Amino acid sequence: MTHTLRQSGTLLGFAAILVFLTVQLPGTFLTTQNLINITQQLSMLAVVAATMTIVMVMNDFDLSVGSMASLSGIVAAVLFSMGFPVWFGLLAALGVGLIGGLFNGFLVSVLGILPFVATLGTLTVFSGTAFLISDGKTIFGRDIPAGFSGFARAGIDINNVKVPFLTLAALAVIAVCWFVLEQTNFGRRLYAIGGNREAAYLAGIRVKRLRLVAFALTGLGAAGAGLMYAARVASANPTQGSGLMLDAIAAVFLGMTMSRYGEPRVMYTLIGVLMLGVLDNGLTQLRVDSYIREILVGLIVISAVATASFSKQTRRV
Amino acid sequence: MAKLLSTAAALAILAAGAWAETVAVITPYLSQPGTQAYVEGFEAAAAQKGWDVNVIDTAGDVAAVISRLEDSVTQNVDAIVINVDPAQVNVGLLAARDAGIPVVGMDAGSDPLIAANVTSNGYAMAAETSVYVANRIGGEGNVVMFVFEAFPPVQIRGVIADAVFDNFPDIDVLDRITPDVSDGGIADSRAKMEAILAANPETGSIAAVWAAWDQPALGALQAIEDAGRADEGIVITGIDANPQARDAIAAGGNFEASIAQDFAGIGSTAADVVARLLAGEELRGSVIYVPTKLVTSANAAE
């Protein structure tokens, strides 16, 4: 019973939030357009959170994703402003994400630095690099090609509903992360490392190499989210992605309260992301003060995790 | 009967709509003292007009401003006021335009999608403080500049100060520093200034510090005082004249001058502009300037 409560408490909370907002905001919350808006608003966070799940599966985490997102946007925008074509800017930015992620992985798995320290260090390295190559400036206007920012504005018409490309891109990333973590040997090995690193190593799993790859994927995801962000705001600023990191970690933690053994799962992370986004959207529409909104979001994360760990304790006793 | 009732209900809704316009004020910068002041000025003016104001702070997140713009359009507010670079929230502004909701900027920058931007004349403010510096040091000496290119309203201040100092052949810009503002700007400016003082130990090697806003000026003041070089006559100027800067100027030390933007005035003027738009007026100018005032020890206590 407590087991079910632990697993479904967060989900019930989410359902309660949805019902509350639907009742309080008749005609404006549960509309196709608003729900599409929410998915688009959440697309960047969803990408960061889904790829963050990959390292959190191994009990690691990556604090540098926010500044990597800023850096990738800046790299693309600087290349655009130098006249390089869009595809080149995108590839270069994703390449920077991959290399940055590999560097994180190298620090954590090869050198054995704690992820907290290693990624805290790279957080400032990436952020400083973004400031350096952008000269601290926001790159916007004519420097950003219409083909790039247009991506965030366009979508595919499905039954007369425009599904934004940003939403579709996020869905694609989530699908890939889900497939990799849940359906491949690679994913199962990551979960094994998360369960017991020593045992996984003794069982012949190449822990170092897998952690390296996992961090590289998280870096790649952060760079992708940074590009989506830059497209959405049609500009790149050396600090613009910094808010993504804490929200992504919060979403993964929210998701972990729903899984069987408290391990991160991509689909539960997605529910965590949806919770955060629905609250932001709904509370804005309800005209709740933005500071109160922040407090509420924090309290919801704490209470979800508290419920989960409390029922875990009672189970053990 | 039912028809009558529904007509009455419709009229009541219309009347309620006419009496309580909803206006969303959206900014990522509410923790900045200046932004707070114009939001308060706006709220005070809006309260007199009987509007329902929803102030939304996205805590530095610009993409979230787009999201909140979209939410406000969904909620069908009557007008939106923003305090963020419009070029960065273009998608949200398009949503507002498509819904026919007017958007007014408070110190936001100009954009075709904004009905009007209410602001101080940043060019004029920077000209006033940089000329003050040039005159005070007799047109010669080394000047340290604190600038911030990432925020357009502050960026233009640096451009003007560059031009003014460049026009004095004996003034050299020793360094052009962009402080890290994530902690508010004072602490990092102080650290940067300490490094510059250490690198230039001779008396008189630094004639002045020109800061594009007050926080770096306060940081530089702390660094100069702590280095025991307050009596060298280094002239410091800021812009914005926030309360802490006014105190420092009134104390009569190195921090000599700043410019007071009428933040509350920007807020209340923005409310007036919203009122004109809601009344159906077409605005001719897309930038509306609210006057500023030089603050020195003579009037800092006002």
Coordinates of all heavy atoms in Angstrom, one line a residue, chain A residues 28 34 37 40-41 44 135-138 140 153 229 232-235 237 240 280-281 284-285 287-288 290-291 293-294, chain B residues 22 30-31 52 54-57 59 61-64 66-68 70-71 74-75 85 87-91 94 149-150:
Chain A
T28 N -9.6 28.4 -20.9 CA -8.3 28.9 -21.3 C -7.2 27.9 -21.0 O -6.1 27.9 -21.6 CB -7.9 30.3 -20.7 OG1 -7.9 30.1 -19.3 CG2 -8.9 31.3 -21.1
N34 N -3.5 26.1 -25.8 CA -2.7 26.3 -24.6 C -1.8 25.1 -24.3 O -0.7 25.2 -23.9 CB -3.6 26.6 -23.4 CG -2.9 27.1 -22.2 OD1 -2.0 28.0 -22.3 ND2 -3.1 26.5 -21.1
N37 N 1.0 25.3 -26.6 CA 1.9 26.3 -26.0 C 2.8 25.7 -24.9 O 4.0 25.9 -24.9 CB 1.1 27.4 -25.4 CG 0.7 28.5 -26.5 OD1 1.2 28.4 -27.6 ND2 -0.1 29.4 -26.1
Q40 N 5.5 23.5 -26.2 CA 6.6 24.3 -26.8 C 7.4 25.0 -25.8 O 8.6 25.0 -25.9 CB 6.0 25.3 -27.8 CG 7.0 26.2 -28.4 CD 6.4 27.0 -29.6 OE1 6.4 26.5 -30.7 NE2 5.9 28.1 -29.3
Q41 N 6.7 25.6 -24.8 CA 7.5 26.3 -23.7 C 8.4 25.3 -23.0 O 9.5 25.7 -22.5 CB 6.5 26.9 -22.7 CG 5.6 28.0 -23.3 CD 4.4 28.4 -22.5 OE1 4.2 27.8 -21.4 NE2 3.6 29.3 -22.9
M44 N 12.6 22.9 -24.4 CA 14.1 23.0 -24.1 C 14.4 22.3 -22.8 O 15.3 21.5 -22.7 CB 14.5 24.4 -24.0 CG 14.3 25.2 -25.3 SD 13.8 26.9 -25.1 CE 12.1 26.8 -24.8
D135 N 32.1 38.2 -26.4 CA 32.4 39.5 -25.9 C 31.4 40.0 -24.9 O 31.2 41.2 -24.7 CB 32.5 40.5 -27.1 CG 33.8 41.2 -27.2 OD1 34.6 41.0 -26.2 OD2 34.1 41.9 -28.1
G136 N 30.7 39.1 -24.3 CA 29.7 39.5 -23.4 C 28.4 40.0 -24.0 O 27.5 40.5 -23.3
K137 N 28.4 40.0 -25.3 CA 27.2 40.7 -26.0 C 26.1 39.7 -26.3 O 26.3 38.5 -26.5 CB 27.6 41.3 -27.3 CG 28.5 42.5 -27.1 CD 28.8 43.1 -28.5 CE 30.0 44.1 -28.3 NZ 30.6 44.5 -29.5
T138 N 24.9 40.2 -26.4 CA 23.8 39.5 -26.9 C 23.8 39.5 -28.4 O 23.9 40.6 -29.0 CB 22.4 40.0 -26.4 OG1 22.4 40.0 -25.0 CG2 21.3 39.2 -26.9
F140 N 22.0 39.2 -31.8 CA 20.6 39.2 -32.2 C 20.5 39.9 -33.6 O 21.4 40.4 -34.1 CB 19.7 39.8 -31.1 CG 19.9 41.2 -30.9 CD1 19.0 42.2 -31.4 CD2 20.9 41.7 -30.1 CE1 19.2 43.5 -31.2 CE2 21.1 43.0 -29.8 CZ 20.3 43.9 -30.4
R153 N 9.5 29.0 -34.9 CA 8.2 29.7 -35.1 C 7.2 28.7 -35.9 O 6.0 28.9 -35.9 CB 8.4 30.9 -36.0 CG 8.0 32.2 -35.3 CD 8.8 33.3 -35.8 NE 10.0 33.6 -35.0 CZ 10.7 34.7 -35.1 NH1 10.4 35.6 -36.0 NH2 11.7 34.9 -34.3
Y229 N 16.7 27.0 -27.6 CA 16.5 28.2 -26.9 C 16.9 29.4 -27.7 O 16.1 30.4 -27.8 CB 17.4 28.2 -25.6 CG 17.0 29.2 -24.5 CD1 16.6 28.8 -23.3 CD2 17.1 30.6 -24.8 CE1 16.3 29.7 -22.3 CE2 16.8 31.5 -23.8 CZ 16.4 31.1 -22.6 OH 16.0 32.0 -21.6
R232 N 14.4 30.1 -30.3 CA 13.1 30.6 -29.8 C 13.2 32.1 -29.5 O 12.3 32.8 -29.7 CB 12.7 29.8 -28.5 CG 11.5 30.3 -27.9 CD 10.8 29.1 -27.2 NE 9.8 29.5 -26.2 CZ 8.5 29.7 -26.5 NH1 8.1 29.6 -27.7 NH2 7.6 30.0 -25.5
V233 N 14.4 32.5 -28.9 CA 14.5 33.9 -28.6 C 15.2 34.7 -29.7 O 15.5 35.9 -29.6 CB 15.3 34.1 -27.2 CG1 14.5 33.5 -26.1 CG2 16.7 33.6 -27.3
A234 N 15.5 34.0 -30.8 CA 16.1 34.6 -32.0 C 17.3 35.4 -31.6 O 17.6 36.4 -32.2 CB 15.1 35.5 -32.7
S235 N 18.1 34.9 -30.6 CA 19.3 35.6 -30.2 C 20.0 34.7 -29.3 O 19.6 33.6 -28.9 CB 18.9 36.9 -29.4 OG 18.1 36.5 -28.3
N237 N 22.6 34.8 -25.9 CA 23.2 35.6 -24.8 C 24.0 34.6 -23.9 O 23.6 33.5 -23.7 CB 22.0 36.2 -24.0 CG 22.4 36.9 -22.7 OD1 22.8 36.3 -21.8 ND2 22.3 38.2 -22.7
Q240 N 21.9 32.8 -21.2 CA 20.5 32.5 -21.3 C 20.1 31.1 -20.9 O 18.9 30.9 -20.5 CB 20.0 32.8 -22.7 CG 20.5 32.0 -23.8 CD 20.1 32.6 -25.2 OE1 19.7 33.7 -25.3 NE2 20.3 31.8 -26.2
D280 N 3.8 26.5 -14.1 CA 4.2 27.9 -14.6 C 3.1 28.5 -15.4 O 2.7 29.7 -15.2 CB 5.5 27.8 -15.5 CG 6.7 28.2 -14.7 OD1 6.5 28.8 -13.6 OD2 7.8 28.0 -15.2
N281 N 2.6 27.7 -16.4 CA 1.5 28.2 -17.3 C 0.2 28.5 -16.5 O -0.3 29.6 -16.6 CB 1.3 27.2 -18.4 CG 0.1 27.5 -19.2 OD1 -1.1 27.3 -18.9 ND2 0.3 28.0 -20.4
T284 N 0.5 31.4 -14.0 CA 0.6 32.7 -14.6 C -0.9 33.1 -15.0 O -1.3 34.3 -14.8 CB 1.4 32.6 -15.9 OG1 2.7 32.1 -15.6 CG2 1.5 34.0 -16.6
Q285 N -1.6 32.2 -15.6 CA -3.0 32.5 -16.0 C -3.8 32.9 -14.8 O -4.8 33.7 -14.9 CB -3.6 31.3 -16.7 CG -3.0 31.1 -18.1 CD -3.9 30.4 -19.0 OE1 -5.1 30.6 -19.0 NE2 -3.4 29.4 -19.8
R287 N -2.8 34.4 -12.4 CA -2.3 35.7 -11.9 C -1.7 35.5 -10.5 O -1.9 36.4 -9.6 CB -3.3 36.8 -12.0 CG -3.4 37.3 -13.4 CD -4.3 38.4 -13.6 NE -5.6 38.0 -13.9 CZ -6.7 38.5 -13.4 NH1 -6.6 39.5 -12.5 NH2 -7.9 38.1 -13.8
V288 N -1.1 34.4 -10.2 CA -0.4 34.2 -8.9 C 0.9 35.0 -9.0 O 1.6 34.9 -10.0 CB -0.2 32.7 -8.7 CG1 0.6 32.5 -7.4 CG2 -1.5 32.0 -8.5
S290 N 4.7 36.0 -9.1 CA 5.7 35.1 -9.6 C 6.6 34.6 -8.4 O 7.2 33.5 -8.5 CB 6.5 35.7 -10.7 OG 6.7 37.1 -10.5
Y291 N 6.7 35.3 -7.4 CA 7.6 34.8 -6.3 C 6.9 33.7 -5.5 O 7.5 32.7 -5.1 CB 7.9 36.0 -5.3 CG 8.8 37.1 -6.0 CD1 8.6 38.4 -5.7 CD2 9.7 36.7 -6.9 CE1 9.3 39.4 -6.3 CE2 10.5 37.7 -7.5 CZ 10.3 39.0 -7.2 OH 11.0 39.9 -7.9
R293 N 4.8 31.8 -6.9 CA 4.9 30.6 -7.8 C 6.2 29.9 -7.6 O 6.2 28.7 -7.5 CB 4.9 31.2 -9.3 CG 4.3 30.3 -10.2 CD 4.0 31.0 -11.5 NE 5.3 31.3 -12.2 CZ 5.5 32.5 -12.8 NH1 4.5 33.4 -12.8 NH2 6.6 32.7 -13.4
E294 N 7.3 30.6 -7.4 CA 8.6 29.9 -7.2 C 8.6 29.1 -5.9 O 9.0 28.0 -5.8 CB 9.7 31.0 -7.1 CG 10.3 31.3 -8.5 CD 11.5 32.3 -8.4 OE1 12.3 32.0 -7.5 OE2 11.6 33.2 -9.1
Chain B
T22 N -7.4 44.1 -17.6 CA -6.2 43.4 -17.0 C -5.0 43.7 -17.8 O -5.0 43.7 -19.1 CB -6.5 41.8 -17.1 OG1 -7.5 41.6 -18.1 CG2 -6.8 41.3 -15.8
L30 N 13.1 41.6 -12.3 CA 12.4 42.3 -11.2 C 13.3 42.5 -10.0 O 13.0 43.3 -9.1 CB 11.1 41.5 -10.8 CG 10.1 42.3 -10.0 CD1 9.7 43.6 -10.7 CD2 8.9 41.5 -9.7
S31 N 14.3 41.7 -9.9 CA 15.2 41.8 -8.7 C 16.1 43.0 -8.8 O 16.8 43.4 -7.8 CB 16.0 40.6 -8.5 OG 16.8 40.3 -9.6
D52 N -6.5 45.8 -13.3 CA -6.1 44.6 -12.6 C -4.7 44.3 -13.1 O -4.6 43.9 -14.3 CB -7.1 43.5 -12.9 CG -7.1 42.4 -11.9 OD1 -6.2 42.4 -11.1 OD2 -8.1 41.6 -12.0
N54 N -1.1 42.2 -13.3 CA -0.4 41.0 -12.9 C 1.1 41.1 -13.2 O 1.4 41.2 -14.4 CB -1.0 39.8 -13.7 CG -0.4 38.5 -13.4 OD1 0.2 38.3 -12.3 ND2 -0.5 37.5 -14.3
V55 N 1.9 41.2 -12.2 CA 3.3 41.3 -12.4 C 4.0 40.0 -12.4 O 3.8 39.2 -11.5 CB 3.9 42.2 -11.3 CG1 5.5 42.3 -11.5 CG2 3.3 43.6 -11.3
I56 N 4.7 39.7 -13.5 CA 5.3 38.4 -13.7 C 6.8 38.5 -13.8 O 7.3 39.2 -14.7 CB 4.7 37.6 -14.9 CG1 3.2 37.5 -14.8 CG2 5.4 36.3 -15.1 CD1 2.5 37.3 -16.1
D57 N 7.6 37.9 -12.9 CA 9.0 37.9 -13.0 C 9.5 36.5 -13.4 O 9.1 35.5 -12.8 CB 9.6 38.3 -11.6 CG 11.1 38.3 -11.6 OD1 11.7 38.6 -12.7 OD2 11.7 38.0 -10.6
A59 N 12.7 35.7 -13.4 CA 14.0 35.5 -12.7 C 15.1 35.3 -13.7 O 15.9 34.3 -13.7 CB 13.9 34.3 -11.7
D61 N 15.1 34.5 -16.9 CA 15.0 33.6 -18.0 C 14.2 34.3 -19.1 O 13.0 34.6 -19.0 CB 14.2 32.4 -17.5 CG 14.1 31.3 -18.6 OD1 14.4 31.6 -19.8 OD2 13.9 30.2 -18.2
V62 N 14.9 34.6 -20.3 CA 14.2 35.3 -21.4 C 13.2 34.5 -22.1 O 12.2 34.9 -22.5 CB 15.3 35.9 -22.3 CG1 14.6 36.6 -23.5 CG2 16.2 36.9 -21.5
A63 N 13.5 33.2 -22.3 CA 12.6 32.3 -23.0 C 11.3 32.2 -22.2 O 10.2 32.1 -22.8 CB 13.2 30.9 -23.3
A64 N 11.4 32.2 -20.9 CA 10.2 32.2 -20.1 C 9.4 33.4 -20.3 O 8.1 33.3 -20.1 CB 10.6 32.0 -18.6
I66 N 8.8 34.8 -23.2 CA 8.0 34.4 -24.3 C 6.8 33.5 -23.9 O 5.7 33.7 -24.2 CB 8.8 33.6 -25.4 CG1 10.0 34.5 -25.9 CG2 8.0 33.1 -26.5 CD1 10.8 33.8 -26.9
S67 N 7.2 32.5 -23.0 CA 6.1 31.6 -22.5 C 5.0 32.4 -21.8 O 3.8 32.2 -22.0 CB 6.7 30.6 -21.6 OG 7.8 29.9 -22.2
R68 N 5.5 33.3 -20.9 CA 4.5 34.1 -20.2 C 3.7 35.0 -21.1 O 2.5 35.3 -20.8 CB 5.1 34.8 -19.0 CG 5.9 34.0 -18.0 CD 5.0 33.0 -17.2 NE 4.7 31.8 -17.9 CZ 5.4 30.7 -18.0 NH1 6.6 30.7 -17.4 NH2 5.0 29.7 -18.6
E70 N 2.9 34.3 -24.1 CA 1.9 33.4 -24.7 C 0.7 33.1 -23.8 O -0.5 33.1 -24.1 CB 2.5 32.1 -25.2 CG 3.5 32.3 -26.4 CD 4.4 31.1 -26.6 OE1 4.4 30.2 -25.7 OE2 5.1 31.0 -27.6
D71 N 1.1 32.9 -22.5 CA 0.1 32.6 -21.5 C -0.9 33.8 -21.3 O -2.1 33.6 -21.2 CB 0.7 32.3 -20.1 CG 1.5 31.0 -20.1 OD1 1.4 30.3 -21.1 OD2 2.3 30.8 -19.2
T74 N -3.2 33.9 -24.1 CA -4.3 32.8 -23.9 C -5.3 33.4 -22.9 O -6.5 33.2 -23.1 CB -3.6 31.6 -23.3 OG1 -2.6 31.1 -24.2 CG2 -4.7 30.5 -23.1
Q75 N -4.8 34.0 -21.9 CA -5.7 34.6 -20.9 C -6.5 35.8 -21.4 O -7.4 36.2 -20.7 CB -4.8 34.9 -19.7 CG -5.5 35.3 -18.4 CD -4.5 36.1 -17.5 OE1 -3.3 36.0 -17.7 NE2 -5.1 36.9 -16.7
D85 N 14.5 43.0 -23.8 CA 14.8 43.4 -25.1 C 13.8 42.7 -26.1 O 13.7 41.5 -26.2 CB 16.2 42.8 -25.5 CG 16.6 43.2 -26.9 OD1 15.9 43.9 -27.6 OD2 17.7 42.7 -27.3
A87 N 13.7 42.2 -29.2 CA 14.2 41.3 -30.3 C 14.3 39.9 -29.8 O 14.2 39.0 -30.5 CB 15.6 41.8 -30.7
Q88 N 14.5 39.7 -28.4 CA 14.6 38.4 -27.9 C 13.3 37.7 -27.6 O 13.3 36.5 -27.4 CB 15.4 38.4 -26.6 CG 16.9 38.8 -26.8 CD 17.7 38.8 -25.6 OE1 17.8 39.8 -24.8 NE2 18.2 37.6 -25.2
V89 N 12.2 38.4 -27.6 CA 10.9 37.8 -27.3 C 10.0 38.0 -28.5 O 8.7 38.0 -28.3 CB 10.3 38.4 -26.0 CG1 11.2 38.1 -24.8 CG2 10.1 39.9 -26.1
N90 N 10.6 38.1 -29.7 CA 9.8 38.3 -30.9 C 8.6 37.4 -31.0 O 7.5 37.8 -31.4 CB 10.8 38.2 -32.1 CG 10.1 38.5 -33.4 OD1 9.6 37.7 -34.0 ND2 10.2 39.8 -33.8
V91 N 8.8 36.1 -30.8 CA 7.8 35.1 -31.0 C 6.6 35.4 -30.1 O 5.4 35.4 -30.5 CB 8.3 33.7 -30.6 CG1 7.2 32.6 -31.0 CG2 9.6 33.4 -31.4
L94 N 4.7 38.4 -31.4 CA 3.9 38.1 -32.6 C 2.6 37.5 -32.1 O 1.5 37.8 -32.7 CB 4.6 37.1 -33.5 CG 5.8 37.6 -34.3 CD1 6.6 36.5 -35.0 CD2 5.3 38.6 -35.4
E149 N 27.8 45.2 -22.2 CA 27.3 45.2 -23.6 C 26.1 44.3 -23.8 O 25.4 44.5 -24.8 CB 28.4 44.7 -24.5 CG 29.8 45.4 -24.3 CD 29.9 46.7 -25.1 OE1 29.7 46.6 -26.3 OE2 30.3 47.7 -24.5
A150 N 25.9 43.3 -22.9 CA 24.8 42.4 -23.2 C 23.4 43.0 -23.0 O 22.4 42.4 -23.5 CB 25.0 41.2 -22.2

